[in-house]
Amino acid sequence: MGGASLASQQGGKMGRPTGPYRTPAPVGTTAEPGLIPDLIARIPWPRWALITVAAAASVLIVSCLLCVLCCCCRRHRRKKPRDKVAVGLGSARSSTTTHLVQPEVGNVESNSGGPQQWGRLQLSLQYDSGSQQIRVGLKQAVDLRARSPGDTADPYACVSLSTQPGHRYETKAHRGTLNPVFDETCCFRVPPAELPQTTLQVWLLDSRCFSQHEPLGELSLPLGTIDLRHVLELWHQLGPPGTTEAEQTGELCFSLQYVPGSGRLTVVVLEARGLSPGLAEPYVKVQLTLNQRKWKRRKTSARKSTTAPYFNQAFTFLVPFSQIQSVDLVLAVWARGPRLRTEPVGKVVLGTRASGQPLQHWADMLAHARRPVTQWHRLRPPREVDQALALQPRLRLPLPGS
């Protein structure tokens, strides 16, 4: 009895499952939940976090696909114009392709023997019979020719009359352009009887700091062939630079430096060149004028037997900043001429009353304080400079450091 009851109990245990998770699965079959649900069930994250991560991943994948599509479209669009241009090169103008390969060939072909290759100049002329003055307005120049293709220049204009070779006017230099806009006016006194024999001469030059100024073109305009009863404003073709410019009396190179705090104006006279071979023992006088009165002066030592003397001498003047706008700086080259007496060869005046290159040099000195600025300058006739300055007798002023 006891064995029968034990057997019945064991049979009952074997016929009933001990629990729902302990029932073994039949061989060859898979579990009901699947692989992905099992992986999700094993991640210890809440369901909302899993949904957020899945959404972010989806957005990132879609964005990457869109970027790839956009890049492919752009490349496809860029390739299309290139193919079209490669086929249609023959439609380009011959002058354009020639200019790209040989810039000077186009100018020679279109302007063979013509003056257009030197550029054009716009002038205005007006004659006042009452004051017997002719007003020359320098407007602008276009298409100037540089030294080599692709280069620029620092052009300025020099105006003179054939009957007054010692009276010249220089404009301000314009940096880095072949189309300068001058907008400057100068006046010359010409009696009506001399107008038919007078020729207006204009030279355009390239300003250089450490070498000789290079001519860019010139214009000779006989006033006798122009009706000056009305105001004229015309364009004129520039011709090639020649030797018709008035003979120069030489050039002088010097540097300027001004320190506003201490009021120290330093002038370093470096060298001169192009002086007449008949001159002997040249030297340079440096003079300061204040309010058109002679103030201070220095001079270099003389150099013998040379037309290109080298000085390299420095002079320092005390000029308060409050007076720098009232000061004129005059540098004059003196030498012993054929008459065996010392005479001025040429002068350069700088300051607020100057014009052209000297005015530009003075402005550069004030703009770059405490830094020396070096330039070459053409020597002007002494009588012309003296008339422009209209100096009064020397007056000693009780200034500190004088």
Side-chain angles (χ1 to χ4, degrees):
M1 293 294 293
S5 62
L6 179 61
S8 63
Q9 289 177 1
Q10 290 178 353
K13 289 180 181 180
M14 293 179 62
R16 292 180 301 178
T18 57
Y21 299 102
R22 294 182 182 180
T23 303
V27 180
T29 60
T30 57
E32 215 36 61
L35 179 60
I36 295 178
D38 288 345
L39 293 176
I40 295 175
R42 292 177 183 178
I43 298 176
W45 288 1
R47 179 167 296 181
W48 63 268
L50 295 175
I51 295 175
T52 303
V53 172
S58 302
V59 172
L60 183 60
I61 293 173
V62 172
S63 300
C64 294
L65 292 176
L66 291 177
C67 291
V68 173
L69 291 175
C70 292
C71 293
C72 294
C73 294
R74 289 180 181 177
R75 290 180 181 179
H76 185 66
R77 290 177 183 176
R78 289 178 181 177
K79 289 181 180 179
K80 286 184 178 179
R82 291 182 181 178
D83 298 337
K84 292 181 180 179
V85 173
V87 176
L89 278 178
S91 61
R93 294 183 180 180
S94 60
S95 61
T96 304
T97 55
T98 304
H99 175 72
L100 293 176
V101 180
Q102 293 180 342
E104 295 181 355
V105 173
N107 295 334
V108 173
E109 292 178 355
S110 60
N111 303 313
S112 57
Q116 279 190 350
Q117 58 181 340
W118 303 103
R120 297 184 300 160
L121 178 66
Q122 186 182 21
L123 288 177
S124 67
L125 298 175
Q126 181 181 6
Y127 184 74
D128 187 359
S129 58
S131 60
Q132 297 184 357
Q133 285 188 344
I134 182 170
R135 180 185 293 268
V136 181
L138 295 165
K139 300 300 182 180
Q140 59 181 329
V142 296
D143 299 333
L144 298 180
R145 185 173 181 177
R147 291 175 291 175
S148 59
D151 287 352
T152 58
D154 300 338
Y156 69 96
C158 181
V159 187
S160 178
L161 296 180
S162 59
T163 56
Q164 304 175 17
H167 185 196
R168 293 184 301 170
Y169 177 83
E170 291 185 2
T171 67
K172 177 182 176 181
H174 296 263
R175 305 293 185 188
T177 179
L178 297 177
N179 302 286
V181 179
F182 300 111
D183 282 337
E184 297 189 30
T185 305
C186 58
C187 296
F188 298 91
R189 182 178 178 83
V190 182
E194 296 183 4
L195 282 176
Q197 296 83 24
T198 303
T199 300
L200 176 67
Q201 298 172 337
V202 184
W203 300 276
L204 271 79
L205 301 102
D206 183 10
S207 174
R208 301 182 186 177
C209 295
F210 302 103
S211 60
Q212 187 176 6
H213 297 188
E214 181 180 358
L216 299 175
E218 67 178 44
L219 171 66
S220 295
L221 191 63
L223 298 181
T225 61
I226 303 176
D227 186 8
L228 297 176
R229 292 176 297 179
H230 308 284
V231 180
L232 300 177
E233 186 169 329
L234 301 173
W235 284 93
H236 301 275
Q237 297 288 345
L238 292 173
T243 58
T244 58
E245 186 176 358
E247 289 294 328
Q248 302 297 324
T249 54
E251 292 180 299
L252 183 64
C253 181
F254 54 91
S255 70
L256 300 178
Q257 181 184 14
Y258 183 68
V259 182
S262 59
R264 295 173 65 89
L265 174 62
T266 303
V267 182
V268 182
V269 182
L270 296 174
E271 58 180 321
R273 65 186 179 192
L275 301 181
S276 176
L279 302 176
E281 300 181 358
Y283 64 94
V284 179
K285 282 185 179 181
V286 183
Q287 186 179 38
L288 278 180
T289 65
L290 179 62
N291 296 325
Q292 299 185 4
R293 293 180 181 271
K294 298 179 181 180
W295 184 17
K296 304 177 182 180
R297 62 183 177 183
R298 304 281 196 281
K299 69 176 182 177
T300 66
S301 56
R303 299 292 185 265
K304 298 181 179 180
S305 305
T306 179
T307 59
Y310 181 76
F311 302 101
N312 195 20
Q313 293 184 243
F315 305 98
T316 301
F317 304 91
L318 294 180
V319 182
F321 184 73
S322 59
Q323 297 176 340
I324 193 65
Q325 298 294 339
S326 303
V327 167
D328 293 317
L329 176 64
V330 183
L331 290 92
V333 177
W334 289 66
R336 185 161 48 85
R339 300 179 182 178
L340 300 180
R341 89 179 163 185
T342 304
E343 297 178 348
V345 177
K347 295 184 178 183
V348 179
V349 57
L350 298 94
T352 56
R353 296 194 299 157
S355 62
Q357 281 298 106
L359 178 60
Q360 183 67 40
H361 194 179
W362 188 262
D364 292 343
M365 177 199 70
L366 296 178
H368 303 86
R370 303 178 181 87
R371 183 186 305 174
V373 183
T374 307
Q375 283 190 14
W376 279 94
H377 291 272
R378 295 171 177 267
L379 295 174
R380 298 170 57 188
R383 184 176 302 178
E384 176 185 344
V385 175
D386 294 341
Q387 291 177 355
L389 290 176
L391 295 179
Q392 300 178 10
R394 182 182 177 88
L395 177 64
R396 296 185 178 275
L397 301 176
L399 295 176
S402 59

